[in-house]
Amino acid sequence: MNPREQRRRQAMSDLVDVVALEEFHQSHGQPDLQPVAVVIAAYRERENIQGVIDAIPKDLCGLAVSIIVVIDGEEDGSAAIIRAHGSYAVVAPVNRGQGARR
């Protein structure tokens, strides 16, 4: 990949991150995260995410837990389910796959 293509890809990746963070703050404001955060990557998990969230303990070793689900290109309404269960959803507007890096 030539340097121009690398810069273009990095700029697109940065833009996706900015949009995801803006949407996160619009949906959650400034989150009050607990001492333990469980971060879950998701893609097209509408049918499964509620069960996953329900299976995570509310506290670990006496410390409260926050659940953060990072959705890589939401298309199925997973974020609404996650938020309805009191968890945090970070939604990337496009799917970048496992190869996405920051």
Side-chain angles (χ1 to χ4, degrees):
M1 178 180 337
N2 66 45
R4 181 174 184 246
E5 178 66 15
Q6 287 176 334
R7 286 191 309 273
R8 187 188 68 76
R9 285 188 182 197
Q10 185 61 51
M12 290 299 294
S13 181
D14 291 348
L15 179 59
V16 169
D17 291 342
V18 166
V19 171
L21 286 171
E22 286 177 356
E23 192 272 340
F24 177 81
H25 288 296
Q26 287 175 357
S27 296
H28 299 290
Q30 184 62 38
D32 182 25
L33 297 176
Q34 300 302 319
V36 176
V38 175
V39 180
I40 303 166
Y43 177 67
R44 294 185 181 166
E45 292 296 335
R46 178 180 176 82
E47 302 302 319
N48 303 308
I49 199 65
Q50 180 177 341
V52 172
I53 291 171
D54 290 345
I56 297 172
K58 302 294 182 223
D59 65 73
L60 293 168
C61 299
L63 298 172
V65 173
S66 290
I67 300 171
I68 304 165
V69 182
V70 181
I71 305 170
D72 191 22
E74 188 198 38
E75 311 170 339
D76 64 353
S78 296
I81 294 168
I82 294 160
R83 292 173 181 148
H85 282 77
S87 298
Y88 298 105
V90 180
V91 181
V94 295
N95 179 272
R96 294 183 288 177
Q98 291 180 343
R101 52 187 153 156
R102 184 76 177 112

